[in-house]
Amino acid sequence: MTRAAGEDEARRPVVAVVGGGYTGAVVAYSLARRLPPGSARILVIEPRAEIGRGLAYSSLDPSHRINVPAARMSVSSEDPGDFFAWVKSNGVVAEDPESQVPTGEVFPRRQVFGSYIAARLAPFLASGAAEHLRGAVARVAPEGEGWRLDLADGREIRADFVVLAASHPRPAVPGPLRAVASSPKLRADPYDLSWLAEVDPQERVLIVGSGLTSADLVASLDARGHKGEILVVSRRGFRSRGHAFGAGAAPFDRLEFDTASASALLRSVRRHVRETVAAGHRWQHVLDVVRTQGGEIWRALTPEARRRVARHLRVAWDVHRFRIAPQPEAVIARREAEGSLRYEAAALVGSAEEGGRLIVNLRPRRGAEVRRESFDRVLVTTGPAHDRIGEGNPALGGLIAAGLIGLDPNGLGLLTAPAGEALRPDGAPQPGLYVAGPLARGAAGELMGLPEVTRHAEGVAGLLSARLGGKAAAPALSVG
Ligand SMILES: Cc1cc2nc3c(=O)[nH]c(=O)nc-3n(C[C@H](O)[C@H](O)[C@H](O)COP(=O)(O)OP(=O)(O)OC[C@H]3O[C@@H](n4cnc5c(N)ncnc54)[C@H](O)[C@@H]3O)c2cc1C
């Protein structure tokens, strides 16, 4: 029991952060910097060996790079150049010359960003201002005026405040592939790359999903000497777009968008794109402004308009907003030119395993004819199953089942107030419980990319700090 460690200890309030990926790390970092030393215990409960890496920055594959230039990623929104300064002082480009593209931007490997977070947290962990409790939370339940957390290994923690930062759930196997779900040739978890070592260079591979993870896997296969055919299918045929380096500064800081409905919003975005491109600028400038005004736009939409945006526009938004790093983009361009990589808009309609190969039935988007295709391997990159966050995560599942927290009606995580307080299913605040990072996306709108996650986690740290008597002002509480 964490708080039974002694008289003084018993008087120190405890903040328990469930999940020590990037979000949990920023909550701890930001809170530790605000609180007077020794005034509270900050416990980050995370099964991985290091906090800060989470799903995104644990990848050891050298082909997996950050998709935003280093100059735009930082653990602190007060110091946006911090990661870039660290990259320079740690000789990242000298060690990995490919990380720098001809226009000068640097895209380090994702594991490097994880090392940077670890370096920034190290002094706080060493001083005890923040603690990493290695383990998984199996249950969170109210007890007295606070919370009790049961860890999977039997340990118990009493906390005054709990922050839920366990963002990305396991990916789900798409329905049409369930018939082959147990086949070792189907990889439903794209973040587990153990299969790469056994790939034959001539294998015919199907990648389901055409976002950034799909691009990562094409780069991983290519780097391993894979030459066989890769078919990438997605329902609508969208694919992640590249950056617009060398395109000059955006000609505007703000734009007006029509938020009367989802289609009005789409029309106004398209109009701005047309006008911007006609004026000689790039579409990326418009999408960047949509992103910075994202929280404001989201809050202005009616619940029905939000539902339609989440349902009909999210995929299109994701592929335009999450840009592919130039290195995997170049691999994709080369493989397409060589004819060994093809993208297709098609729906999966069934699957079977025959003679050691996976048979997948595909229905092309334009045409009713179902086609039978055979592959050596099928990789699913449709992303974490955010609409099923309770399943497979007992800490969240138990809170949801007990009616202590609500689910976002649009499948965008947990019901949360915009600043990060967890809400019950009826919309009332759940005292002492907070949600940080992508799980709060339903309230924030856009909350997946690093700068937004940083600001949101800092905002939650600001709320906690105010409750604990530290520096309350969050550097930037508003999200989006
Ligand atoms: C593959 C990938 C690449 C990305 N690349 C970029 C990029 O280059 N640039 C950018 O701006 N954004 C990027 N993003 C987006 C963004 O940076 C991430 O979404 C962000 O890192 C979110 O981190 P997180 O801590 O909220 O979630 P996660 O990474 O999911 O971390 C949550 C942590 O919680 C832990 N956890 C879960 N359940 C429990 C439990 N019950 N008890 C204890 N611990 C638990 C998990 O072990 C995990 O470490 C990427 C996202 C992904 C998925």
Side-chain angles (χ1 to χ4, degrees), residues 173-188 198 351-353 358 378 380:
V173 177
L177 293 179
R178 285 206 192 114
V180 296
S182 59
S183 167
K185 302 275 178 185
L186 176 82
R187 306 306 306 204
E198 68 203 38
S351 59
E353 189 163 13
L358 294 181
V378 175
V380 180

PDB file of all heavy atoms in Angstrom, residues 173-188 198 351-353 358 378 380:
ATOM      1  N   VAL A 173      -9.132  -7.457 -35.052  1.00  0.00           N
ATOM      2  CA  VAL A 173      -9.101  -8.145 -36.357  1.00  0.00           C
ATOM      3  C   VAL A 173     -10.388  -7.771 -37.106  1.00  0.00           C
ATOM      4  O   VAL A 173     -11.486  -7.958 -36.575  1.00  0.00           O
ATOM      5  CB  VAL A 173      -9.040  -9.678 -36.165  1.00  0.00           C
ATOM      6  CG1 VAL A 173      -9.069 -10.399 -37.513  1.00  0.00           C
ATOM      7  CG2 VAL A 173      -7.799 -10.071 -35.378  1.00  0.00           C
ATOM      8  N   PRO A 174     -10.283  -7.232 -38.322  1.00  0.00           N
ATOM      9  CA  PRO A 174     -11.507  -6.887 -39.060  1.00  0.00           C
ATOM     10  C   PRO A 174     -12.386  -8.138 -39.251  1.00  0.00           C
ATOM     11  O   PRO A 174     -11.862  -9.238 -39.478  1.00  0.00           O
ATOM     12  CB  PRO A 174     -10.982  -6.380 -40.409  1.00  0.00           C
ATOM     13  CG  PRO A 174      -9.549  -6.009 -40.168  1.00  0.00           C
ATOM     14  CD  PRO A 174      -9.065  -6.913 -39.080  1.00  0.00           C
ATOM     15  N   GLY A 175     -13.695  -7.953 -39.179  1.00  0.00           N
ATOM     16  CA  GLY A 175     -14.645  -9.071 -39.263  1.00  0.00           C
ATOM     17  C   GLY A 175     -14.330 -10.068 -40.390  1.00  0.00           C
ATOM     18  O   GLY A 175     -14.235 -11.271 -40.145  1.00  0.00           O
ATOM     19  N   PRO A 176     -14.121  -9.597 -41.632  1.00  0.00           N
ATOM     20  CA  PRO A 176     -13.908 -10.546 -42.741  1.00  0.00           C
ATOM     21  C   PRO A 176     -12.625 -11.372 -42.609  1.00  0.00           C
ATOM     22  O   PRO A 176     -12.448 -12.351 -43.342  1.00  0.00           O
ATOM     23  CB  PRO A 176     -13.837  -9.635 -43.977  1.00  0.00           C
ATOM     24  CG  PRO A 176     -14.495  -8.367 -43.563  1.00  0.00           C
ATOM     25  CD  PRO A 176     -14.241  -8.213 -42.102  1.00  0.00           C
ATOM     26  N   LEU A 177     -11.731 -10.984 -41.695  1.00  0.00           N
ATOM     27  CA  LEU A 177     -10.500 -11.768 -41.521  1.00  0.00           C
ATOM     28  C   LEU A 177     -10.580 -12.685 -40.293  1.00  0.00           C
ATOM     29  O   LEU A 177      -9.617 -13.375 -39.982  1.00  0.00           O
ATOM     30  CB  LEU A 177      -9.281 -10.833 -41.375  1.00  0.00           C
ATOM     31  CG  LEU A 177      -8.900 -10.018 -42.610  1.00  0.00           C
ATOM     32  CD1 LEU A 177      -7.703  -9.118 -42.300  1.00  0.00           C
ATOM     33  CD2 LEU A 177      -8.554 -10.925 -43.798  1.00  0.00           C
ATOM     34  N   ARG A 178     -11.725 -12.681 -39.625  1.00  0.00           N
ATOM     35  CA  ARG A 178     -11.805 -13.481 -38.383  1.00  0.00           C
ATOM     36  C   ARG A 178     -11.616 -14.967 -38.647  1.00  0.00           C
ATOM     37  O   ARG A 178     -11.087 -15.689 -37.812  1.00  0.00           O
ATOM     38  CB  ARG A 178     -13.125 -13.224 -37.653  1.00  0.00           C
ATOM     39  CG  ARG A 178     -13.062 -11.872 -36.984  1.00  0.00           C
ATOM     40  CD  ARG A 178     -13.943 -11.728 -35.776  1.00  0.00           C
ATOM     41  NE  ARG A 178     -13.972 -10.295 -35.464  1.00  0.00           N
ATOM     42  CZ  ARG A 178     -15.036  -9.527 -35.551  1.00  0.00           C
ATOM     43  NH1 ARG A 178     -16.196 -10.043 -35.890  1.00  0.00           N
ATOM     44  NH2 ARG A 178     -14.964  -8.243 -35.278  1.00  0.00           N
ATOM     45  N   ALA A 179     -11.997 -15.429 -39.857  1.00  0.00           N
ATOM     46  CA  ALA A 179     -11.858 -16.860 -40.169  1.00  0.00           C
ATOM     47  C   ALA A 179     -10.397 -17.291 -40.155  1.00  0.00           C
ATOM     48  O   ALA A 179     -10.093 -18.467 -39.991  1.00  0.00           O
ATOM     49  CB  ALA A 179     -12.480 -17.146 -41.542  1.00  0.00           C
ATOM     50  N   VAL A 180      -9.477 -16.350 -40.344  1.00  0.00           N
ATOM     51  CA  VAL A 180      -8.047 -16.711 -40.361  1.00  0.00           C
ATOM     52  C   VAL A 180      -7.311 -16.070 -39.176  1.00  0.00           C
ATOM     53  O   VAL A 180      -6.079 -15.978 -39.175  1.00  0.00           O
ATOM     54  CB  VAL A 180      -7.379 -16.308 -41.711  1.00  0.00           C
ATOM     55  CG1 VAL A 180      -7.987 -17.087 -42.857  1.00  0.00           C
ATOM     56  CG2 VAL A 180      -7.483 -14.811 -41.977  1.00  0.00           C
ATOM     57  N   ALA A 181      -8.084 -15.643 -38.187  1.00  0.00           N
ATOM     58  CA  ALA A 181      -7.491 -14.885 -37.067  1.00  0.00           C
ATOM     59  C   ALA A 181      -6.382 -15.652 -36.365  1.00  0.00           C
ATOM     60  O   ALA A 181      -5.431 -15.053 -35.866  1.00  0.00           O
ATOM     61  CB  ALA A 181      -8.567 -14.485 -36.071  1.00  0.00           C
ATOM     62  N   SER A 182      -6.476 -16.984 -36.331  1.00  0.00           N
ATOM     63  CA  SER A 182      -5.461 -17.734 -35.576  1.00  0.00           C
ATOM     64  C   SER A 182      -4.266 -18.127 -36.445  1.00  0.00           C
ATOM     65  O   SER A 182      -3.325 -18.748 -35.957  1.00  0.00           O
ATOM     66  CB  SER A 182      -6.095 -18.974 -34.945  1.00  0.00           C
ATOM     67  OG  SER A 182      -6.639 -19.754 -35.979  1.00  0.00           O
ATOM     68  N   SER A 183      -4.290 -17.768 -37.732  1.00  0.00           N
ATOM     69  CA  SER A 183      -3.177 -18.144 -38.607  1.00  0.00           C
ATOM     70  C   SER A 183      -1.925 -17.312 -38.280  1.00  0.00           C
ATOM     71  O   SER A 183      -2.008 -16.094 -38.128  1.00  0.00           O
ATOM     72  CB  SER A 183      -3.557 -17.904 -40.070  1.00  0.00           C
ATOM     73  OG  SER A 183      -2.397 -17.992 -40.864  1.00  0.00           O
ATOM     74  N   PRO A 184      -0.758 -17.967 -38.227  1.00  0.00           N
ATOM     75  CA  PRO A 184       0.464 -17.179 -38.001  1.00  0.00           C
ATOM     76  C   PRO A 184       0.799 -16.264 -39.183  1.00  0.00           C
ATOM     77  O   PRO A 184       1.611 -15.362 -39.062  1.00  0.00           O
ATOM     78  CB  PRO A 184       1.546 -18.259 -37.822  1.00  0.00           C
ATOM     79  CG  PRO A 184       0.964 -19.517 -38.375  1.00  0.00           C
ATOM     80  CD  PRO A 184      -0.521 -19.405 -38.298  1.00  0.00           C
ATOM     81  N   LYS A 185       0.128 -16.492 -40.324  1.00  0.00           N
ATOM     82  CA  LYS A 185       0.365 -15.640 -41.505  1.00  0.00           C
ATOM     83  C   LYS A 185      -0.406 -14.323 -41.406  1.00  0.00           C
ATOM     84  O   LYS A 185      -0.204 -13.424 -42.220  1.00  0.00           O
ATOM     85  CB  LYS A 185      -0.101 -16.364 -42.775  1.00  0.00           C
ATOM     86  CG  LYS A 185       0.579 -17.693 -42.997  1.00  0.00           C
ATOM     87  CD  LYS A 185       1.873 -17.491 -43.710  1.00  0.00           C
ATOM     88  CE  LYS A 185       2.604 -18.799 -43.914  1.00  0.00           C
ATOM     89  NZ  LYS A 185       3.914 -18.597 -44.501  1.00  0.00           N
ATOM     90  N   LEU A 186      -1.335 -14.241 -40.475  1.00  0.00           N
ATOM     91  CA  LEU A 186      -2.078 -12.990 -40.276  1.00  0.00           C
ATOM     92  C   LEU A 186      -1.473 -12.268 -39.095  1.00  0.00           C
ATOM     93  O   LEU A 186      -1.340 -12.834 -38.010  1.00  0.00           O
ATOM     94  CB  LEU A 186      -3.560 -13.269 -39.987  1.00  0.00           C
ATOM     95  CG  LEU A 186      -4.360 -11.998 -39.678  1.00  0.00           C
ATOM     96  CD1 LEU A 186      -4.783 -11.300 -40.956  1.00  0.00           C
ATOM     97  CD2 LEU A 186      -5.578 -12.297 -38.814  1.00  0.00           C
ATOM     98  N   ARG A 187      -1.086 -11.021 -39.301  1.00  0.00           N
ATOM     99  CA  ARG A 187      -0.551 -10.226 -38.198  1.00  0.00           C
ATOM    100  C   ARG A 187      -1.533  -9.096 -37.930  1.00  0.00           C
ATOM    101  O   ARG A 187      -1.620  -8.144 -38.699  1.00  0.00           O
ATOM    102  CB  ARG A 187       0.835  -9.652 -38.538  1.00  0.00           C
ATOM    103  CG  ARG A 187       1.849 -10.657 -38.973  1.00  0.00           C
ATOM    104  CD  ARG A 187       2.054 -11.811 -38.013  1.00  0.00           C
ATOM    105  NE  ARG A 187       2.366 -11.397 -36.651  1.00  0.00           N
ATOM    106  CZ  ARG A 187       3.009 -12.160 -35.771  1.00  0.00           C
ATOM    107  NH1 ARG A 187       3.402 -13.383 -36.098  1.00  0.00           N
ATOM    108  NH2 ARG A 187       3.241 -11.716 -34.566  1.00  0.00           N
ATOM    109  N   ALA A 188      -2.269  -9.253 -36.830  1.00  0.00           N
ATOM    110  CA  ALA A 188      -3.281  -8.244 -36.518  1.00  0.00           C
ATOM    111  C   ALA A 188      -2.697  -7.094 -35.709  1.00  0.00           C
ATOM    112  O   ALA A 188      -3.269  -6.027 -35.640  1.00  0.00           O
ATOM    113  CB  ALA A 188      -4.430  -8.884 -35.760  1.00  0.00           C
ATOM    114  N   GLU A 198      11.186 -13.486 -40.304  1.00  0.00           N
ATOM    115  CA  GLU A 198      10.930 -14.716 -41.075  1.00  0.00           C
ATOM    116  C   GLU A 198      10.382 -14.449 -42.477  1.00  0.00           C
ATOM    117  O   GLU A 198      10.025 -15.364 -43.210  1.00  0.00           O
ATOM    118  CB  GLU A 198       9.974 -15.624 -40.286  1.00  0.00           C
ATOM    119  CG  GLU A 198       8.587 -15.050 -40.166  1.00  0.00           C
ATOM    120  CD  GLU A 198       7.787 -15.591 -38.985  1.00  0.00           C
ATOM    121  OE1 GLU A 198       8.393 -15.791 -37.915  1.00  0.00           O
ATOM    122  OE2 GLU A 198       6.578 -15.795 -39.143  1.00  0.00           O
ATOM    123  N   SER A 351     -12.394 -14.568 -45.917  1.00  0.00           N
ATOM    124  CA  SER A 351     -11.030 -15.087 -45.915  1.00  0.00           C
ATOM    125  C   SER A 351     -11.026 -16.575 -45.601  1.00  0.00           C
ATOM    126  O   SER A 351     -11.988 -17.109 -45.048  1.00  0.00           O
ATOM    127  CB  SER A 351     -10.193 -14.340 -44.885  1.00  0.00           C
ATOM    128  OG  SER A 351     -10.774 -14.491 -43.603  1.00  0.00           O
ATOM    129  N   ALA A 352      -9.927 -17.230 -45.962  1.00  0.00           N
ATOM    130  CA  ALA A 352      -9.756 -18.655 -45.660  1.00  0.00           C
ATOM    131  C   ALA A 352      -8.266 -18.953 -45.709  1.00  0.00           C
ATOM    132  O   ALA A 352      -7.485 -18.171 -46.271  1.00  0.00           O
ATOM    133  CB  ALA A 352     -10.497 -19.503 -46.694  1.00  0.00           C
ATOM    134  N   GLU A 353      -7.865 -20.073 -45.112  1.00  0.00           N
ATOM    135  CA  GLU A 353      -6.467 -20.483 -45.214  1.00  0.00           C
ATOM    136  C   GLU A 353      -6.441 -21.766 -46.034  1.00  0.00           C
ATOM    137  O   GLU A 353      -7.153 -22.719 -45.721  1.00  0.00           O
ATOM    138  CB  GLU A 353      -5.875 -20.715 -43.814  1.00  0.00           C
ATOM    139  CG  GLU A 353      -4.373 -20.926 -43.867  1.00  0.00           C
ATOM    140  CD  GLU A 353      -3.704 -20.754 -42.495  1.00  0.00           C
ATOM    141  OE1 GLU A 353      -4.417 -20.708 -41.487  1.00  0.00           O
ATOM    142  OE2 GLU A 353      -2.462 -20.684 -42.469  1.00  0.00           O
ATOM    143  N   LEU A 358      -2.984 -17.476 -47.405  1.00  0.00           N
ATOM    144  CA  LEU A 358      -4.235 -16.849 -46.972  1.00  0.00           C
ATOM    145  C   LEU A 358      -5.004 -16.385 -48.203  1.00  0.00           C
ATOM    146  O   LEU A 358      -4.459 -15.684 -49.059  1.00  0.00           O
ATOM    147  CB  LEU A 358      -3.955 -15.673 -46.040  1.00  0.00           C
ATOM    148  CG  LEU A 358      -3.332 -16.024 -44.685  1.00  0.00           C
ATOM    149  CD1 LEU A 358      -3.123 -14.779 -43.844  1.00  0.00           C
ATOM    150  CD2 LEU A 358      -4.187 -17.032 -43.921  1.00  0.00           C
ATOM    151  N   VAL A 378      -0.690 -11.523 -44.406  1.00  0.00           N
ATOM    152  CA  VAL A 378      -1.644 -10.409 -44.357  1.00  0.00           C
ATOM    153  C   VAL A 378      -1.353  -9.607 -43.091  1.00  0.00           C
ATOM    154  O   VAL A 378      -1.274 -10.159 -41.992  1.00  0.00           O
ATOM    155  CB  VAL A 378      -3.108 -10.923 -44.347  1.00  0.00           C
ATOM    156  CG1 VAL A 378      -4.081  -9.756 -44.180  1.00  0.00           C
ATOM    157  CG2 VAL A 378      -3.424 -11.692 -45.631  1.00  0.00           C
ATOM    158  N   VAL A 380      -2.464  -6.320 -40.762  1.00  0.00           N
ATOM    159  CA  VAL A 380      -3.594  -5.416 -40.506  1.00  0.00           C
ATOM    160  C   VAL A 380      -3.072  -4.129 -39.892  1.00  0.00           C
ATOM    161  O   VAL A 380      -2.411  -4.151 -38.846  1.00  0.00           O
ATOM    162  CB  VAL A 380      -4.629  -6.067 -39.564  1.00  0.00           C
ATOM    163  CG1 VAL A 380      -5.793  -5.117 -39.304  1.00  0.00           C
ATOM    164  CG2 VAL A 380      -5.130  -7.379 -40.148  1.00  0.00           C
TER     165      VAL A 380
END
